[in-house]
Amino acid sequence: MTLDLDLRPERRAAVVAELRAALEAAEPGSGTGLLGSLARGEADGWSDIDLRWTVPAARFAAAVRGLRATLESAGHPVALLRTDPDPTPPERRLLFARFADLPLFWRLDLEMTADGPVRDSLPPADPWSPHASALANAVGAVKAVRRGRTGTARGLLERGAERIGLPKDAGGAAIAAEVARAAPALADYAAEVTALTLHRWDADGS
């Protein structure tokens, strides 16, 4: 498997611009903003994409329902879209998207907020997948190692392993193998994570 390790900041900046344009075009009167390390100007090549999307309250439920199509209109196929299992308050949703054509590290964490009380019925939150969460932990552990944070990496792997019933010291490759066995729908994601955990990094980090 060929890993996408093109982590150039200018590439991610272009992706961020495409996503923000697609979100704002989907709902007139909405607006987007940066969050996290991107907003603070502290992002490195491993940083994910944190955005806030503020939507008119009357269109909030429709925006939540149409989010996958909206994101894909930016030109990046959505491989996995998950919702925070505790959508409280109703005027806020936190969603996580992984794109098939982008590095695993560049997950989109999207905070959707309404600009007022939401009166329409919202779609239910997705069932929280411990297997998808465990894979995300494995990716996060690789990121932490590349940043020199081995303690953080160890904690991420331990929590990911425990989520799916593995020993705490199972490691990223074992987590990916168990996910591929137990959750076949995530097999492609697991294969990418396996390749990532086994990758030999060059001196420049690629």
Side-chain angles (χ1 to χ4, degrees):
M1 171 173 293
T2 301
L3 286 172
D4 186 346
L5 297 175
D6 180 0
L7 305 178
R8 291 172 297 134
E10 59 270 25
R11 181 190 182 199
R12 186 181 53 214
V15 171
V16 170
E18 291 161 353
L19 291 172
R20 293 182 67 176
L23 292 168
E24 292 174 6
E27 294 296 342
S30 70
T32 60
L34 299 176
L35 297 173
S37 60
L38 289 176
R40 297 190 300 270
E42 299 172 353
D44 58 19
W46 317 99
S47 298
D48 54 18
I49 298 170
D50 295 311
L51 296 178
R52 176 184 290 118
W53 186 25
T54 303
V55 178
R59 292 290 305 164
F60 189 73
V64 172
R65 285 192 294 268
L67 182 61
R68 179 183 289 269
T70 296
L71 293 176
E72 292 192 333
S73 71
H76 303 286
V78 174
L80 184 65
L81 182 62
R82 298 187 295 144
T83 308
D84 188 325
D86 182 23
T88 304
E91 292 80 18
R92 179 181 179 274
R93 277 283 173 97
L94 184 60
L95 303 106
F96 310 94
R98 185 176 73 83
F99 298 100
D101 63 336
L102 295 177
L104 285 174
F105 303 108
W106 291 357
R107 184 182 75 181
L108 171 65
D109 292 5
L110 180 65
E111 179 184 302
M112 290 184 64
T113 59
D115 65 2
V118 173
R119 307 189 187 284
D120 295 333
S121 297
L122 288 166
D126 299 329
W128 195 246
S129 166
H131 294 94
S133 297
L135 291 177
N137 276 38
V139 173
V142 174
K143 181 187 302 189
V145 168
R146 300 308 305 165
R147 289 170 168 166
R149 301 171 184 170
T150 55
T152 299
R154 188 178 304 111
L156 285 166
L157 288 174
E158 289 178 353
R159 291 192 296 276
E162 288 180 323
R163 280 194 176 107
I164 55 176
L166 292 179
K168 290 173 62 174
D169 60 352
I175 288 172
E178 173 60 17
V179 170
R181 184 199 68 79
L186 297 173
D188 289 345
Y189 187 9
E192 289 185 74
V193 172
T194 298
L196 186 65
T197 61
L198 299 177
H199 179 70
R200 292 190 173 187
W201 303 89
D202 296 330
D204 65 356
S206 63

PDB file of all heavy atoms in Angstrom, residues 160-167:
ATOM      1  N   GLY A 160      -6.706   2.815  23.015  1.00  0.00           N
ATOM      2  CA  GLY A 160      -7.257   2.205  21.806  1.00  0.00           C
ATOM      3  C   GLY A 160      -7.382   0.701  21.936  1.00  0.00           C
ATOM      4  O   GLY A 160      -8.393   0.106  21.534  1.00  0.00           O
ATOM      5  N   ALA A 161      -6.368   0.063  22.505  1.00  0.00           N
ATOM      6  CA  ALA A 161      -6.404  -1.389  22.678  1.00  0.00           C
ATOM      7  C   ALA A 161      -7.524  -1.795  23.631  1.00  0.00           C
ATOM      8  O   ALA A 161      -8.270  -2.756  23.374  1.00  0.00           O
ATOM      9  CB  ALA A 161      -5.050  -1.876  23.193  1.00  0.00           C
ATOM     10  N   GLU A 162      -7.657  -1.083  24.730  1.00  0.00           N
ATOM     11  CA  GLU A 162      -8.688  -1.418  25.707  1.00  0.00           C
ATOM     12  C   GLU A 162     -10.086  -1.266  25.121  1.00  0.00           C
ATOM     13  O   GLU A 162     -11.001  -2.022  25.481  1.00  0.00           O
ATOM     14  CB  GLU A 162      -8.531  -0.534  26.940  1.00  0.00           C
ATOM     15  CG  GLU A 162      -7.319  -0.900  27.791  1.00  0.00           C
ATOM     16  CD  GLU A 162      -7.174  -0.020  29.021  1.00  0.00           C
ATOM     17  OE1 GLU A 162      -7.462   1.194  28.930  1.00  0.00           O
ATOM     18  OE2 GLU A 162      -6.794  -0.561  30.071  1.00  0.00           O
ATOM     19  N   ARG A 163     -10.269  -0.309  24.219  1.00  0.00           N
ATOM     20  CA  ARG A 163     -11.598  -0.109  23.621  1.00  0.00           C
ATOM     21  C   ARG A 163     -12.093  -1.350  22.895  1.00  0.00           C
ATOM     22  O   ARG A 163     -13.299  -1.568  22.803  1.00  0.00           O
ATOM     23  CB  ARG A 163     -11.544   1.058  22.627  1.00  0.00           C
ATOM     24  CG  ARG A 163     -11.618   2.433  23.253  1.00  0.00           C
ATOM     25  CD  ARG A 163     -11.904   3.482  22.188  1.00  0.00           C
ATOM     26  NE  ARG A 163     -12.064   4.783  22.795  1.00  0.00           N
ATOM     27  CZ  ARG A 163     -11.172   5.768  22.726  1.00  0.00           C
ATOM     28  NH1 ARG A 163     -10.052   5.588  22.053  1.00  0.00           N
ATOM     29  NH2 ARG A 163     -11.382   6.926  23.304  1.00  0.00           N
ATOM     30  N   ILE A 164     -11.166  -2.120  22.328  1.00  0.00           N
ATOM     31  CA  ILE A 164     -11.598  -3.257  21.512  1.00  0.00           C
ATOM     32  C   ILE A 164     -11.179  -4.590  22.148  1.00  0.00           C
ATOM     33  O   ILE A 164     -11.120  -5.618  21.467  1.00  0.00           O
ATOM     34  CB  ILE A 164     -11.063  -3.146  20.074  1.00  0.00           C
ATOM     35  CG1 ILE A 164      -9.543  -2.997  20.054  1.00  0.00           C
ATOM     36  CG2 ILE A 164     -11.725  -1.964  19.379  1.00  0.00           C
ATOM     37  CD1 ILE A 164      -8.958  -2.991  18.644  1.00  0.00           C
ATOM     38  N   GLY A 165     -10.905  -4.562  23.449  1.00  0.00           N
ATOM     39  CA  GLY A 165     -10.679  -5.788  24.184  1.00  0.00           C
ATOM     40  C   GLY A 165      -9.310  -6.411  24.039  1.00  0.00           C
ATOM     41  O   GLY A 165      -9.144  -7.612  24.299  1.00  0.00           O
ATOM     42  N   LEU A 166      -8.310  -5.626  23.642  1.00  0.00           N
ATOM     43  CA  LEU A 166      -6.944  -6.136  23.528  1.00  0.00           C
ATOM     44  C   LEU A 166      -6.142  -5.769  24.769  1.00  0.00           C
ATOM     45  O   LEU A 166      -6.485  -4.822  25.482  1.00  0.00           O
ATOM     46  CB  LEU A 166      -6.257  -5.543  22.290  1.00  0.00           C
ATOM     47  CG  LEU A 166      -6.785  -5.966  20.918  1.00  0.00           C
ATOM     48  CD1 LEU A 166      -5.997  -5.263  19.825  1.00  0.00           C
ATOM     49  CD2 LEU A 166      -6.736  -7.475  20.740  1.00  0.00           C
ATOM     50  N   PRO A 167      -5.048  -6.475  25.023  1.00  0.00           N
ATOM     51  CA  PRO A 167      -4.163  -6.072  26.123  1.00  0.00           C
ATOM     52  C   PRO A 167      -3.636  -4.660  25.903  1.00  0.00           C
ATOM     53  O   PRO A 167      -3.473  -4.213  24.760  1.00  0.00           O
ATOM     54  CB  PRO A 167      -3.024  -7.099  26.056  1.00  0.00           C
ATOM     55  CG  PRO A 167      -3.602  -8.264  25.325  1.00  0.00           C
ATOM     56  CD  PRO A 167      -4.600  -7.702  24.355  1.00  0.00           C
TER      57      PRO A 167
END
